[in-house]
Amino acid sequence: MKERPGVHQRATYIALVYGLHQARRTGVLEVRSGRAWRRLYFVSGNVVWYASDKVEEELGRSLLKAGLLSKSQLNTLLGSRSPFEPLDQRLLADGTVGPDQLREHRLQQLGPAVSAPLAWEGGEWSFDARDSLAAEAIDRALFPDCHVLQELWAGVPQFVQMEEALQALGAQGGRRLCPQEGLAATIGSLQLRGALPGLPEAVGSGASVEELFQRIPDRSGNLMQLLWFLFSCNALGHEDGAADEVKGLLARGQGHAEAVGIQQEQRRARDEKVARSVRKKAPTISRITASRAVIQEASSGISSKARRPAGQTTDGQ
């Protein structure tokens, strides 16, 4: 069942994909920002394919770009297939691309597709659930083995700025972070290198961001973004117990309708606050506008008088 659209933000997108993966949901996640859109197809929590508004991401064009297909081969294939025949089936039937090559190519395309919506600061999302689909009846060999959380994390250092992470974590106020359920498992799924895999031990029962930077000799420069990622997944929380209700709902992979309702209420409250601020400033703006009009009219009169020849009256006599 397709739900009402929610508000897209980077942190909520992390929680959303994390929750769908952890809860092993099946369905289609669509994210839109202006005219741009992207769909991720989930089967039992795994992303198996995607679609987008970008023409260059179509299978034929991406194979051409990767050097697995020549332009003449692509034109021949497109001309010989039936109107409703998928291009991948024609590729395999003709032997132009082997099954392993096609599978590897799709996997390489999937990774960036998972993290791509992190480039968008705003927009909306919706999830069309298909949990009744008998996923066990589908041959798993048909699906690429996409490491969802690993690919999701790969986009964070690229798209999330330090200031955004600092603000979300409350680092400047010295707020302490404490571990939540699933922290160690999430860290393990990311295939981190260097000192970052030791983050659960460094956090202990609770630590500030400053303390974590002292305890973890990070040379990658990604520690702050990693803390933000884990905080967005609800694998880290604030020690004072304050929590983002929307993020918590999405990270569980359920309660999407409730999360959307909260988001829409928050948006209405923000819009009303802006409207009140505009109405409050309106009288002042009107007075300023009126004053400018009087000044302009007076200036115009002075200028016209200054341009008249000596001795000439207003009627030109």
Side-chain angles (χ1 to χ4, degrees):
M1 181 180 66
K2 195 166 185 178
E3 300 160 344
R4 290 184 300 169
V7 179
H8 169 72
Q9 297 168 329
R10 290 191 182 97
T12 53
Y13 178 73
I14 293 288
L16 180 59
V17 175
Y18 176 85
L20 293 173
H21 176 67
Q22 294 295 98
R24 300 178 61 82
R25 298 294 303 275
T26 295
V28 181
L29 172 63
E30 181 174 301
V31 186
R32 290 183 171 271
S33 181
R35 293 184 178 181
W37 57 268
R38 188 168 293 270
R39 297 188 191 104
L40 298 179
Y41 296 82
F42 284 80
V43 175
S44 295
N46 191 36
V47 179
V48 299
W49 194 233
Y50 77 100
S52 79
D53 64 296
K54 296 185 178 296
V55 176
E56 63 270 21
E57 292 185 353
E58 293 176 356
L59 180 59
R61 292 176 182 268
S62 63
L63 286 168
L64 187 64
K65 186 178 179 180
L68 297 174
L69 205 62
S70 68
K71 192 169 184 179
S72 61
Q73 285 176 314
L74 178 59
N75 290 335
T76 300
L77 286 165
L78 292 175
S80 62
R81 66 171 181 161
S82 60
F84 300 104
E85 181 183 17
L87 181 60
D88 57 350
Q89 290 184 12
R90 173 52 56 184
L91 285 165
L92 294 173
D94 287 0
T96 311
V97 176
D100 292 340
Q101 279 183 308
L102 187 58
R103 181 184 178 87
E104 183 62 26
H105 177 73
R106 280 180 158 172
L107 184 57
Q108 290 174 357
Q109 297 292 106
L110 267 181
V114 171
S115 61
L118 289 172
W120 301 336
E121 293 184 5
E124 63 180 31
W125 62 268
S126 61
F127 182 65
D128 190 1
R130 290 289 183 268
D131 295 303
S132 58
L133 178 67
E136 65 278 1
I138 303 173
D139 184 0
R140 293 285 172 169
L142 298 174
F143 298 148
D145 188 17
C146 179
H147 301 283
V148 177
L149 298 187
Q150 192 174 337
E151 300 296 354
L152 186 63
W153 156 247
V156 172
Q158 181 181 357
F159 298 118
V160 179
Q161 301 300 315
M162 186 74 73
E163 186 60 34
E164 183 178 351
L166 278 167
Q167 186 176 355
L169 293 168
Q172 295 170 332
R175 298 180 73 179
R176 292 171 64 82
L177 299 171
C178 60
Q180 302 293 315
E181 184 180 355
L183 174 60
T186 302
I187 288 285
S189 69
L190 301 182
Q191 298 295 307
L192 300 170
R193 297 180 180 180
L196 294 179
L199 190 143
E201 291 75 21
V203 173
S205 59
S208 67
V209 172
E210 183 179 356
E211 288 171 336
L212 290 173
F213 269 85
Q214 293 171 353
R215 296 173 188 176
I216 301 175
D218 172 44
R219 295 183 179 180
S220 68
N222 294 332
L223 177 55
M224 182 61 73
Q225 281 94 339
L226 177 60
L227 294 174
W228 176 89
F229 176 84
L230 296 169
F231 186 73
S232 300
C233 293
N234 224 30
L236 282 175
H238 282 133
E239 196 174 53
D240 56 18
D244 184 327
E245 192 174 0
V246 171
K247 182 186 70 175
L249 288 166
L250 296 178
R252 290 199 297 269
Q254 306 288 343
H256 288 171
E258 186 177 351
V260 169
I262 296 170
Q263 284 189 321
Q264 291 181 343
E265 185 58 38
Q266 290 171 343
R267 174 181 280 181
R268 279 194 293 270
R270 285 194 299 268
D271 291 346
E272 287 176 4
K273 185 176 180 180
V274 171
R276 284 197 300 271
S277 177
V278 170
R279 286 195 296 269
K280 187 176 180 180
K281 293 177 181 178
T284 303
I285 294 171
S286 298
R287 286 196 297 272
I288 292 172
T289 303
S291 299
R292 286 176 178 170
V294 170
I295 292 170
Q296 288 175 353
E297 185 177 353
S299 299
S300 177
I302 292 170
S303 299
S304 62
K305 288 179 181 179
R307 288 194 299 269
R308 294 173 197 147
Q312 183 174 321
T313 61
T314 57
D315 58 3
Q317 297 176 354

